Amino acid sequence: MKLGVNIDHVAVLREARRVNDPDILNALHVACANGADQITIHLREDRRHIQDIDAKNIMMHSQLPVNLECSINKDILNIVSDLRPHRATLVPEKREEVTTEGGLDVFTYEDKISYAIEQLHDYIIPVSLFVDPTIEAIEKSKELGAEMVELHTGSFANIFAMLYSSLPHTNHSVKELELPRHELAIRLEKSLQELQTAATHAKKIGLEVAAGHGLNYHNVSYMMSIEEITELNIGQSIIARSIFTGLADAVKEMKRLTTR
């Protein structure tokens, strides 16, 4: 299992005060030195965390492959094309969202996604599509020409958190999941089966399979049982843990948990 460490949240903290502290390049080097297999960043249209200069510097200084997440916005695609990352992962993006809330709608935006993939391929950049774990989305991703899919694990992570963490007792409780524990347990099992089925089908039709969103030190073990998933991209939980342990130890511990 490859571990992609997403360092966006280091930039979130930096942008809160609009100073260069913490330095994103320091985070890059610590992650590279302590078990990361790749670096993942998301260059958002609103530049709420990673900036253009960050993306350029990370590409220049990273000792590891860089997975650059981006929308299908043409201006963003032009920047990504010039940077030529190891891989581009196309994700949905809304200005008002706190974080990516679901998989890419590969049907509604089929033409735009197809154009984006063609442009990236022209620059010899492999493409992954961040999609919900459905057979339909997997097949459409293959049809559009992607080499890889990253399965959106947000639904699984939310159910897990409502079942096994203090989330229900906070202001961030997921209202639609305020259900009896036995119902949450059934939904958790169903979400895991959906991920397994999607991963199995993706591999069967020749796609590489990654997973990400909401994965943390408590729930990541569930992903390890899905053999078809060969890469996990994890960010917020690693950066959150680093406040208490330091980034080096936070990355090392996640790498330990994701080693088969």
Side-chain angles (χ1 to χ4, degrees):
M1 182 75 78
K2 294 179 181 178
L3 173 61
V5 175
N6 187 316
I7 57 176
D8 288 348
H9 285 274
V10 175
V12 169
L13 182 57
R14 178 195 65 191
E15 293 301 305
R17 289 295 299 272
R18 298 187 182 278
V19 294
N20 195 37
D21 186 21
D23 188 329
I24 196 74
L25 291 182
N26 285 345
L28 166 69
H29 295 313
V30 172
C32 287
N34 288 281
D37 296 299
Q38 76 176 13
I39 299 299
T40 295
I41 57 173
H42 182 178
L43 183 63
R44 292 185 67 104
E45 294 174 31
D46 61 12
R47 308 302 200 275
R48 68 177 61 171
H49 40 61
I50 296 294
Q51 306 297 309
D52 296 46
I53 189 65
D54 296 325
K56 182 178 180 179
N57 286 338
I58 288 166
M59 285 299 306
M60 184 182 302
H61 294 288
S62 180
Q63 301 170 2
L64 297 174
V66 176
N67 171 35
L68 183 46
E69 299 177 343
C70 66
S71 72
I72 54 176
N73 174 279
K74 184 167 180 56
D75 291 337
I76 292 289
L77 287 170
N78 288 339
I79 294 171
V80 175
S81 297
D82 288 340
L83 290 173
R84 300 198 180 189
H86 176 264
R87 183 194 311 127
T89 298
L90 300 181
V91 302
E93 192 173 308
K94 299 176 185 177
R95 295 295 178 93
E96 66 274 15
E97 68 188 0
V98 175
T99 184
T100 307
E101 295 172 346
L104 190 63
D105 186 342
V106 291
F107 299 98
T108 301
Y109 302 105
E110 176 180 357
D111 291 342
K112 290 183 177 180
I113 295 170
S114 178
Y115 175 84
I117 293 175
E118 288 178 8
Q119 176 176 337
L120 293 166
H121 282 173
D122 285 344
Y123 285 83
I124 323 299
I125 302 171
V127 178
S128 177
L129 300 185
F130 185 72
V131 296
D132 291 323
T134 68
I135 296 298
E136 294 78 12
I138 298 299
E139 291 184 341
K140 177 58 73 172
S141 297
K142 178 69 173 180
E143 177 186 324
L144 290 171
E147 289 85 7
M148 187 174 199
V149 289
E150 180 170 343
L151 302 179
H152 180 255
T153 53
S155 178
F156 156 78
N158 283 340
I159 297 168
F160 185 96
M162 291 295 287
L163 184 58
Y164 292 121
S165 81
S166 62
L167 185 63
H169 308 292
T170 73
N171 290 336
H172 306 298
S173 176
V174 183
K175 299 302 180 183
E176 60 268 29
L177 292 177
E178 291 178 350
L179 302 167
R181 292 183 61 81
H182 73 274
E183 176 64 23
L184 287 172
I186 292 172
R187 292 195 179 202
L188 184 67
E189 183 61 32
K190 181 181 178 182
S191 69
L192 283 169
Q193 186 55 57
E194 289 172 348
L195 287 164
Q196 175 67 75
T197 300
T200 299
H201 189 71
K203 183 176 180 180
K204 179 180 178 181
I205 63 175
L207 292 171
E208 294 183 71
V209 187
H213 198 81
L215 299 179
N216 59 40
Y217 296 87
H218 305 291
N219 63 28
V220 73
S221 62
Y222 286 76
M223 297 299 104
M224 302 306 292
S225 64
I226 304 177
E227 294 183 1
E228 293 82 1
I229 295 176
T230 58
E231 173 186 304
L232 299 175
N233 288 296
I234 304 175
Q236 194 272 339
S237 65
I238 293 176
I239 305 306
R241 175 68 68 91
S242 75
I243 293 173
F244 305 103
T245 68
L247 183 56
D249 284 347
V251 174
K252 286 178 182 177
E253 176 62 9
M254 185 60 78
K255 181 60 179 176
R256 184 186 70 80
L257 293 173
T258 56
T259 298
R260 287 178 169 136

